[in-house]
């Protein structure tokens, strides 16, 4: 599930490349890409924090947004997220087990050769999820990385910080092409399960920026 497309550009702040602050933007600039039944996305207020909330039952669709990022300047992607529970099922490295309560994609341009588009896919897996990254069972051009695993701790949004430049070099063994888009997806179409997730405050930062996401 790599071909998430892209649309309008993100926006800048000093030293930060914002992808979305959902309270200010809502879903402006995001497009919905459906694979099977639609995951329901909406803006919600959770204990005073505005988040993107997703609900899926046997569904798979994602929201994507085109954004230009200079990874040499802002290589670190941060966000906050929460799931009600990880999707349990077969081995996630197989097609039958390729379901996750929460995914965050960074999609890289294939240039004129659109079929060469690549992606890093950060997922929230079960406690038993593989520690080592793997290639997506539907396409070897997507590298799956478990950014969080196991049951959540209450309703608290969990912060994540990933060095996208370093992750791409390690997973694909080469320098990354231009970042084309960022996407989020909550999907349960393979297992038919139900899952709920929340996403907030996706942004790219310099490595030396140690502010919390």
């Amino acid at each position: 599930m790599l071909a998430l497309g892209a649309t309008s550009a993100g926006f800048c702040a000093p030293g930060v490349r914002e992808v979305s602050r959902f309270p200010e933007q809502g879903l402006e600039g995001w497009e919905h890409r459906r694979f099977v039944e639609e995951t329901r996305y909406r803006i919600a207020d959770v204990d005073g924090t505005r988040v993107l909330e997703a609900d899926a039952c046997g569904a798979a669709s994602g929201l994507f947004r085109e954004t230009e990022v200079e990874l040499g300047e802002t290589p670190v992607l941060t966000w906050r997220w929460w799931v009600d529970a990880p999707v349990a099922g077969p081995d996630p490295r197989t097609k039958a087990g390729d379901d996750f309560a929460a995914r965050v994609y960074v999609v890289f341009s294939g240039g004129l050769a659109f079929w060469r588009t690549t992606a890093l896919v950060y997922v929230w897996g079960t406690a038993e999820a593989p520690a080592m990254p793997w290639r997506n069972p539907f396409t070897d051009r997507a590298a799956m990385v478990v950014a969080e695993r196991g049951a959540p701790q209450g309703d608290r949004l969990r912060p994540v910080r990933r060095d996208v430049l370093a992750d791409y070099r390690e997973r694909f063994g080469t320098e990354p092409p231009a970042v084309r888009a960022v996407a989020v997806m909550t999907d349960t179409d393979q297992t038919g399960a139900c899952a709920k997730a929340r996403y907030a405050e996706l942004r790219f930062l310099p490595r030396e920026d140690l502010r919390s996401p």
Side-chain angles (χ1 to χ4, degrees):
M1 295 178 180
L2 174 60
L4 285 172
T7 182
S8 60
F11 57 94
C12 294
V16 177
R17 183 61 175 173
E18 297 282 3
V19 178
S20 188
R21 283 178 173 271
F22 295 113
E24 290 86 354
Q25 293 173 258
L27 293 180
E28 179 184 354
W30 292 82
E31 288 195 8
H32 200 160
R33 175 65 184 272
R34 173 178 170 175
F35 297 99
V36 288
E37 296 301 317
E38 285 191 4
T39 299
R40 297 183 299 278
Y41 294 98
R42 66 185 185 95
I43 302 297
D45 189 306
V46 179
D47 295 330
T49 299
R50 296 278 284 176
V51 301
L52 175 68
E53 193 165 76
D55 287 278
C57 281
S61 65
L63 294 180
F64 59 88
R65 181 186 179 117
E66 184 180 76
T67 185
E68 296 179 2
V69 179
E70 176 49 65
L71 290 180
E73 297 176 1
T74 53
V76 177
L77 176 62
T78 67
W79 70 92
R80 295 196 294 153
W81 62 356
W82 169 91
V83 301
D84 59 346
V87 176
D91 188 331
R93 293 167 292 189
T94 66
K95 290 183 178 180
D98 187 46
D99 274 352
F100 296 95
R103 306 186 190 223
V104 172
Y105 289 74
V106 181
V107 182
F108 299 85
S109 174
L112 295 177
F114 66 88
W115 57 89
R116 297 189 63 186
T117 297
T118 51
L120 289 169
V121 188
Y122 299 108
V123 301
W124 190 315
T126 64
E128 298 77 28
M132 296 298 293
W134 67 95
R135 295 300 173 94
N136 184 275
F138 290 93
T139 171
D140 64 2
R141 302 201 65 78
M144 312 295 290
V145 182
V146 176
E148 187 70 65
R149 69 179 68 232
Q153 300 175 359
D155 287 339
R156 185 169 65 92
L157 291 163
R158 295 279 298 170
V160 180
R161 180 180 297 266
R162 298 297 310 196
D163 189 321
V164 174
L165 181 58
D167 282 344
Y168 193 95
R169 287 169 172 168
E170 180 179 352
R171 274 64 180 184
F172 290 98
T174 186
E175 292 298 303
V179 172
R180 180 186 178 198
V182 171
V184 299
M185 185 163 73
T186 293
D187 69 300
T188 60
D189 59 318
Q190 303 299 323
T191 60
C194 292
K196 175 185 276 190
R198 297 173 184 144
Y199 306 85
E201 298 168 359
L202 289 87
R203 56 171 70 102
F204 285 86
L205 306 175
R207 282 197 178 99
E208 62 272 17
D209 192 327
L210 299 180
R211 289 172 290 180
S212 297

